[in-house]
Amino acid sequence: METSPLTPVLIATADEALREALLRLSAAAELTPHLESDLLALRRHWQTASLVVVGQDLVTPLARTQPTRRPGVVVVGADPDDGSVFRRALTIGAEGVYLLPGDESALGDRLADTLDGGVRAATTFTFVGGCGGAGATTLAAAVAVTASRRGIRTMLIDGDPLGGGIDLTLGSETGGGARWPDLLNASGRVNAAALRAALPTVDDLAVLSWDRSDVTALPPEAMRSVLGAAQRSSDLVVIDLPRRTDPAAEEALVRSTATFLVVPRDVRSCAAAARLVSPLREVATDLRVVAREPGLGGLSAVDVAKHLSLPLAAKLRFDRDLPALMDRGRFDPRPRGALGRTANELLDLFNLHGLLAA
């Protein structure tokens, strides 16, 4: 019996109790593993599964065969007093050891990762406006659209329940698919593939926005679970956040690669943005400023960065044609336009290169 892509997990153990425990965890993760109980079968399928789960009972005989080293091998045991299992796991190149029942939750997550297509470490950008009307939502949407056009697997998340809805920015508000109110009860581990399949798309960009209901709060548990699934199914996640750092926003900020504070280059906007810097610094891993072009007589981008004591990520100029296009339901950050150039600069800043030329 051959291991197929539909059964990416190989479980090998002759221990009946251990096998039953692993089958139960596999069922909870909604996958059907390929089962083997002897060394010969384990060696035959050693290279053909995404994840190989080796029972503690087969580790020593497998080590004697000097198996080819490969990623995605873990050892599972049920004897917490057997400290030698960690040493023996190294002899077969295992990435980790799980001792049941204490490590059931962690092993369940590892099994579910294979169903999601493996563990991804998605780059995650959050965008916050330094003042009202700063343009953070528009820039977040431009970065997501530009990344998707580059061939980067991207998801755009609207984290502001009191905003106008990022689908309005994209001109996709009439499309079908799930919105935040459908996911407010999400908790624990959300299936990454199912989430992406449920969301509306703009070309190849998956978008999670709000509907026009009266929901005005986002539970932090929902943000945590949905963002985790988004990061497992994407190469880039872009989140538009409100100016207030509520618990849901904090969940996004602490899980982000970088946070961009978008600030118009004038004194009033800088004064408003300065009040946000301290609370953002408490939770954001990498906080930078994007200085947006103001009217005549404004501050320089360097002045804005110095005033806020933040590194300057990029400058953003006005895109004169964009407002008229958006009014007609067309969001098109062209590569040579002001918005498209800034979006590309931010992507290049983190070496995000997809299948297409930037």
Side-chain angles (χ1 to χ4, degrees):
M1 179 178 179
E2 296 296 328
T3 301
S4 73
L6 297 178
T7 55
V9 177
L10 169 64
I11 292 176
T13 179
D15 186 319
E16 292 186 9
L18 189 57
R19 184 188 305 119
E20 291 301 317
L22 291 171
L23 284 174
R24 176 171 50 79
L25 289 173
S26 298
E30 299 182 354
L31 61 84
T32 303
H34 178 79
L35 293 174
E36 295 293 356
S37 59
D38 63 82
L39 181 61
L40 180 60
L42 168 58
R43 295 181 65 193
R44 185 166 62 247
H45 297 293
W46 180 251
Q47 298 280 18
T48 59
S50 298
L51 177 66
V52 179
V53 181
V54 182
Q56 185 174 335
D57 55 302
L58 293 182
V59 173
T60 297
L62 176 63
R64 294 193 189 104
T65 70
Q66 298 182 347
T68 302
R69 296 301 174 99
R70 51 149 293 170
V73 177
V74 299
V75 171
V76 180
D79 184 2
D81 297 323
D82 184 4
S84 68
V85 66
F86 294 93
R87 176 180 51 78
R88 288 185 283 124
L90 291 176
T91 64
I92 63 170
E95 297 174 346
V97 175
Y98 299 89
L99 297 178
L100 307 182
D103 293 335
E104 282 192 354
S105 177
L107 180 57
D109 284 349
R110 184 64 187 267
L111 292 169
D113 282 336
T114 64
L115 194 64
D116 290 340
V119 180
R120 290 176 181 261
T123 300
T124 303
F125 291 162
T126 49
F127 288 83
V128 180
C131 61
T137 298
T138 303
L139 181 56
V143 169
V145 168
T146 301
S148 184
R149 288 174 177 174
R150 283 189 176 195
I152 300 168
R153 190 171 175 84
T154 306
M155 186 178 296
L156 175 61
I157 297 177
D158 185 351
D160 186 1
L162 297 179
I166 210 162
D167 54 352
L168 284 171
T169 301
L170 297 170
S172 61
E173 66 274 13
T174 60
R179 264 60 173 191
W180 265 120
D182 302 312
L183 300 169
L184 292 182
N185 294 323
S187 61
R189 188 184 182 89
V190 172
N191 184 285
L195 172 66
R196 182 171 285 275
L199 295 181
T201 58
V202 178
D203 295 326
D204 292 325
L205 172 65
V207 181
L208 176 54
S209 187
W210 293 89
D211 60 14
R212 305 299 170 254
S213 67
D214 57 359
V215 177
T216 59
L218 177 55
E221 296 81 6
M223 174 62 86
R224 184 185 309 125
S225 297
V226 169
L227 180 53
Q231 290 172 321
R232 293 194 303 274
S233 68
S234 308
D235 298 310
L236 173 67
V237 179
V238 178
I239 312 167
D240 178 41
L241 290 179
R243 294 179 64 216
R244 68 190 187 284
T245 51
D246 60 15
E250 288 180 359
E251 287 291 339
L253 289 164
V254 298
R255 288 169 168 74
S256 295
T257 308
T259 295
F260 301 105
L261 184 63
V262 183
V263 184
R265 286 159 36 194
D266 60 70
V267 174
R268 289 175 61 88
S269 297
C270 280
R275 301 183 64 181
L276 300 179
V277 171
S278 179
L280 286 173
R281 272 194 174 129
E282 291 181 2
V283 287
T285 303
D286 182 354
L287 180 61
R288 310 187 188 198
V289 65
V290 175
R292 201 196 78 190
E293 184 179 60
L296 295 176
L299 302 172
S300 72
V302 174
D303 287 338
V304 172
K306 285 183 177 179
H307 178 74
L308 299 175
S309 299
L310 293 176
L312 179 64
K315 304 173 186 177
L316 177 59
R317 298 180 60 190
F318 285 120
D319 198 326
R320 296 180 179 179
D321 297 331
L322 191 64
L325 290 172
M326 291 175 64
D327 285 343
R328 297 197 296 269
R330 292 175 55 199
F331 184 76
D332 185 19
R334 298 161 299 170
R336 295 183 182 275
L339 194 60
R341 285 201 302 271
T342 300
N344 277 309
E345 286 177 18
L346 294 179
L347 294 171
D348 291 341
L349 199 60
F350 287 81
N351 297 315
L352 287 164
H353 305 289
L355 303 176
L356 308 176

